[in-house]
Amino acid sequence: MSETNTIVKVRNLKKYFELRKGFLSIGKDITYVKAVDGVDFDMRSGEILGLVGESGCGKTTVGRLLTRLEDPTDGFVFFLGRDIALIEGQDVKVFRRNIQMVFQDPYESLNPRTTVTQTIMEPLLNHHIGESPEERLEMVVQAMEDAGLAPAKEYLNRFPHELSGGQRQRVAIARALAVKPRVIVADEPVSMLDVSIRAGVLNLMLDLREKYGIPYLFITHDIAVARYISDRMAVMYLGRVVELAETDEVISNPKHPYTQALLLAVPVPDPDAKHGRIDIKGEVPSAADIPLGCRFRPRCPKAFKGCGWEARDFIDWLGEKGYLAEDNKLRQAIASFHPDGFVLRMTVNDGADPNAVVDLVKDLVAEGRRAHPLLDSVEVIDTLMTDRVIEIDCRPAPISADALAAELFTLLESTVAYEEPDHPMHGIIADMRLEKNRLIVSVGDDAQNLKLAEAFLEDYIRHHRRRNRPEFKGVKSISASPANMTVTLTCVASKEPAVKTAEDVAAHIEKRLAAEGTGDLAKSTLPIETKKKRVRVRILGPESNWSRLLEALKELVTANRKEDEGFAQRVSRIRIKTVKKPQKTVATKFIRAEEPPLFDVGEGHQVACYLFKGGRLGQPPATERGSGQPWA
Amino acid sequence: MVLLEVDDLKVHFEIQDGWVKAVDGVSFSIDSGETMGLVGESGCGKTTAAYAITQLLPPNGRIIGGRIFFKEPPRVAAYRKEYDEKLKESPKARQRELSRVKRKLDRVDQAIGGSAPEVEELKDRLAALNYSFDLIGLSKRKDGSLDDYNEEIRKIRWTQISMIFQGAMNAFNPVFKVGDQIVEAITLHEDVEESVARERARELFEFVGIAPDRIDNYPHEFSGGMKQRAMIALALALNPSFIIADEPTTALDVITQDRILAEIKRLQEQLKMAMMIITHDVSVVAEVSDKIGVMYAGLIMEIGQASQVFKNTAHPYTAGLLGSFPSIKGEKRRLVSIPGFPPDLVSPPTGCPFHPRCQYAQKRCREERPEGVTIEPGHVSYCHFANKLWEKLRRTA
Ligand SMILES: Nc1ncnc2c1ncn2[C@@H]1O[C@H](COP(=O)(O)OP(=O)(O)OP(=O)(O)O)[C@@H](O)[C@H]1O
Ligand SMILES: Nc1ncnc2c1ncn2[C@@H]1O[C@H](COP(=O)(O)OP(=O)(O)O)[C@@H](O)[C@H]1O
Ligand code: SF4
Ligand code: SF4
Ligand SMILES: [Mg+2]
Ligand SMILES: [Mg+2]
């Protein structure tokens, strides 16, 4: 079974921390520190997965999310097939037992007032492991000897301050081991230890993996340590995993430009191995202000046209090239710059002619195009009418009872994984089938099972409704039938959530505009915004562009095409709305790029870089290729 | 040419339960333009040795013995060693020799006078007998504590010997602009206009790779790496001939560390600066040092050129330290940990301090502190059996 091989699955995991800017900012826009911003990886049984990256890249937060010391903002952690966010009640204890954590500072993580015995005994008592005090003491001794604290009786009654750092970390490992967990998350477990002692703790962890096959997530900033201990390695940068592969593969054949730079920077304990340096530019950006497109782009020596250049990159470039000097023609024509993601709005001075500014910008972009991929990714330069916006009011679309039941079926199948031996429904849920608006779950022939399954399904639906599937309020009843040994979930028609509606509408417009024979309209349309149930669209260029766009949108609603059906249903009104006084404005729009996902380059080697889109190193076309040098 | 020579330095700290023997007889020398790496585990006395060189000790610190010669002319050093050999530890004999040389100098000076070679020679002999270039002699009080405010020392500290402190990232005062703190350091020691000092500060920023217009930033506006660079700028402000850097990259990420190490290499190459780099990370010393001293429990265990210490390892502790360090290069081999843990320096082990953890230890190791064994010119191991073990260790290291 493939499921059993994967112990932990992490999918699109996110954790945003709110950042308050001073006391008086109540009600203002809240900014978020995106500590973890879409992380994916699997942990397989018996393997050590190294999670490496510079400080602040989100490693500890990933560890805390895995152990549920922190709740995710979005995304999932599946532990043995179960969504850990849904674990409740008695099961929480089982979960905590199964996933143990070892921390960086062995002094802080041990209670200074309890002896080694008490420290290791505590989780055994908590989890009611062991029949008698004698048996528990035996387990403590076993765990200590496993952790290299032998003979155990010499250490049993010591307090943390009577132990060396390495011994303290061994106690922490013994405590984690004592309860026989399924996974250990170790966050920088050797960073605070003396060099001569580190090797001992690392070897201990390797030996214990050998003996018990317990997988570890081994978090470290030290790549040499990660190379030594891990089987596979995930490299994080600014909240995301950018490369993941077998450890040897990452070390000898790094593919992501960030990993390459990182490895070159690692010093080697050999005076003859003087290494060369490649310079990646600047510092890691703030996690509260992450670059769009590829987040490594501002520092990447290989960045090319498709990496998602932004307005602020353009302003930086203008500055570097002297276009922002007081005596420059461009600078004199422009009153203010407003970078906003992929669009740079420039408010033109009263005396200046916007069309002349458009030409000016076009000229300098054309000139620089060869030399810098930033300019190559300018899509449109045009005037912008700031006094209007096309507003689309949306209404949530209904979901039929049958569709809802089908969706529920898929969700249960994908996440419950009751085939998994450790799953609470293992051996209880025997089968599931769909009958129109009903989902029928059958259990074995034990009446007790029926009750358990019913309770589980009730919990399951309730959790999902609360979390991110309000449409599940359409699950009308959950009823057990002792005669058939089944639990039936009956659905009625429901409605999708309103926020999702506007987002779907916006996505649909983008797709259709690009697909229609209206290439220039799509290009000139600014990134679409949504606000609650409203969608707002703006376009660059003259008045005529606005009317053409309005026509095109109305056409989408009235067209009697199958693919636009949902769209028509969701739109209640489209109109041009006047918003404020006109202001002479010119805008430069850049090609939009999403965050590069992890591309598979073969043998489980994954790289989040557009150079590897489509598998191996897809050489970008000559015009798109980076020069291999940091951009001047 | 020798720039700094540390001879049998002993620095102890007085605490309630006795004395911490943080540095207990350390000798080494550094040539001008040379970088020495001092490597060892936490608590082995690296920082203490460095502080003694800059003559800054905590109030409970005492110089128990030893001397630190700075910028001693080669001939004076030669005479000094000659006298030390000849007069051994007899103060009376030294006193007699001193008056003899003094009298002779007076005589010759009157006879020929001026800067005749003979006069010069006698002056050098006098300097050697008086230990005139010993920094410790300048500021040591009777009880062994150092006089921080000694005029002579204050002239040397910062202007000739400067230091990048461990945890330098927090060394700047948070309420003043970084640039102002550098300007102040300059104007305090040199008689220059503030505008001149500011210009120098800007140049220093440029040199360490920070945009000069950032001199008006406050420390908190800098990243860790930038603070560390600014600290280097501050250490360079008065054109010292020797810089001590205590764990200059320890709290930094590898990419930033790599940049700081590149900066340090630039100081070596462009300014021919002599340096002492203190770290627990053997890969960092490997990267930047000409010469390496390995410290353990207040003593040097092995010292030599970087390649001698790394390749021809001649001390069991060095071999253990290198064998327990993972690397991203080369074959992956099982790390060998050193059993036990570093000793408490209030009551360090007798004889060779490494003996409780050493697999080669014999009876003699528990009883006698090892003398230096010269393996090759410039390569010394403080192990009784260095000559015998050398072949074995160099294979395993
Ligand atoms: N002011 C003090 N009073 C008492 N003991 C001290 C004092 N300063 C240092 N020590 C002790 O002296 C010994 C050497 O300390 P030192 O700071 O020189 O070590 P180090 O090699 O620099 O270590 P690290 O790598 O941790 O910086 C240690 O045992 C330390 O605890
Ligand atoms: N509780 C918190 N509140 C606000 N920000 C946090 C919190 N915990 C972590 N962060 C921020 O999230 C980012 C990632 O932190 P962390 O996961 O600790 O990184 P790492 O372990 O890789 O050093 C950092 O920018 C950090 O400052
Ligand atoms: S996608 Fe790849 S090439 Fe482009 S900026 Fe990111 S890392 Fe560099
Ligand atoms: S002197 Fe003895 S104890 Fe010390 S390192 Fe040499 S063999 Fe080991
Ligand atoms: Mg961390
Ligand atoms: Mg220190």
Side-chain angles (χ1 to χ4, degrees), chain A residues 54-55 167 194-196 200 203 207 227-228 251 262 267-272 274-275 277 280 282-283, chain B residues 41-42 223 253 257-259 283 286-287 310-311 325 327-330 332-335 337-338 341 357:
Chain A
E54 295 174 90
S55 79
Q167 289 167 338
D194 253 327
V195 235
S196 73
N203 285 342
D207 295 344
R227 183 211 177 188
Y228 182 63
I251 298 292
L262 196 64
V268 180
D270 176 353
D272 296 339
K274 307 281 182 208
H275 60 245
R277 295 195 155 82
I280 61 171
E283 316 256 335
Chain B
E41 294 171 75
S42 181
S223 70
D253 277 315
Q257 163 168 297
D258 188 53
R259 288 186 185 157
S283 19
E287 179 131 329
F310 273 88
K311 305 272 153 125
F325 229 83
S327 167
I328 63 160
K329 290 260 165 66
K332 196 149 121 182
R333 55 183 170 77
R334 188 162 166 102
L335 299 180
S337 65
I338 306 175
F341 43 92
R357 304 174 76 187

Side-chain angles (χ1 to χ4, degrees), chain A residues 51-60 63 101-106 169 185-193 198 201-202 205 217-223 225-226, chain B residues 253:
Chain A
L51 188 63
V52 304
E54 295 174 90
S55 79
C57 72
K59 305 179 296 296
T60 295
M101 190 132 184
V102 176
F103 297 92
Q104 172 168 8
D105 186 341
Q169 202 57 294
V185 174
D187 188 3
E188 307 266 13
V190 297
S191 312
M192 305 272 287
L193 301 182
R198 260 183 223 179
V201 174
L202 290 175
M205 295 185 78
L217 181 70
F218 192 101
I219 299 175
T220 177
H221 69 279
D222 186 331
I223 295 149
V225 164
Chain B
D253 277 315

Side-chain angles (χ1 to χ4, degrees), chain B residues 115-270:
Chain B
S115 53
E118 219 186 331
V119 177
E120 290 298 304
E121 188 200 311
L122 286 167
K123 281 186 180 158
D124 281 358
R125 285 192 178 276
L126 204 58
L129 282 162
N130 278 326
Y131 297 117
S132 301
F133 292 87
D134 172 23
L135 298 180
I136 299 234
L138 293 176
S139 65
K140 192 167 106 172
R141 297 200 191 93
K142 278 223 171 63
D143 65 353
S145 64
L146 292 176
D147 175 10
D148 274 357
Y149 294 95
N150 179 287
E151 270 306 309
E152 295 295 310
I153 290 302
R154 280 159 64 89
K155 268 189 219 149
I156 293 174
R157 195 189 301 142
W158 303 124
T159 58
Q160 304 225 30
I161 301 180
S162 75
M163 185 153 178
I164 298 166
F165 294 102
Q166 184 165 13
M169 315 226 285
N170 308 316
F172 284 102
N173 188 328
V175 302
F176 298 111
K177 293 174 182 168
V178 177
D180 290 351
Q181 299 188 46
I182 295 178
V183 168
E184 195 192 304
I186 298 172
T187 50
L188 206 68
H189 287 92
E190 278 179 34
D191 188 20
V192 293
E193 290 291 316
E194 195 184 312
S195 60
V196 176
R198 266 196 105 64
E199 199 37 53
R200 168 114 50 98
R202 293 174 69 92
E203 283 165 17
L204 287 165
F205 260 47
E206 183 109 56
F207 183 81
V208 299
I210 309 175
D213 54 7
R214 305 280 308 254
I215 66 169
D216 285 328
N217 282 164
Y218 288 92
H220 73 265
E221 294 170 306
F222 279 4
S223 70
M226 287 168 80
K227 273 187 238 173
Q228 198 61 278
R229 282 165 191 234
M231 194 63 214
I232 295 178
L234 178 64
L236 289 174
L238 299 162
N239 297 317
S241 42
F242 183 52
I243 291 189
I244 300 173
D246 191 2
E247 304 277 8
T249 62
T250 298
L252 303 175
D253 277 315
V254 275
I255 290 178
T256 320
Q257 163 168 297
D258 188 53
R259 288 186 185 157
I260 300 290
L261 294 182
E263 220 59 72
I264 287 175
K265 284 190 170 166
R266 227 149 56 84
L267 296 182
Q268 296 167 339
E269 279 154 24
Q270 292 182 7

Side-chain angles (χ1 to χ4, degrees), chain A residues 351-367:
Chain A
D353 169 15
N355 288 308
V357 172
V358 168
D359 290 340
L360 212 55
V361 178
K362 277 186 175 163
D363 283 350
L364 67 92
V365 165
E367 215 171 281

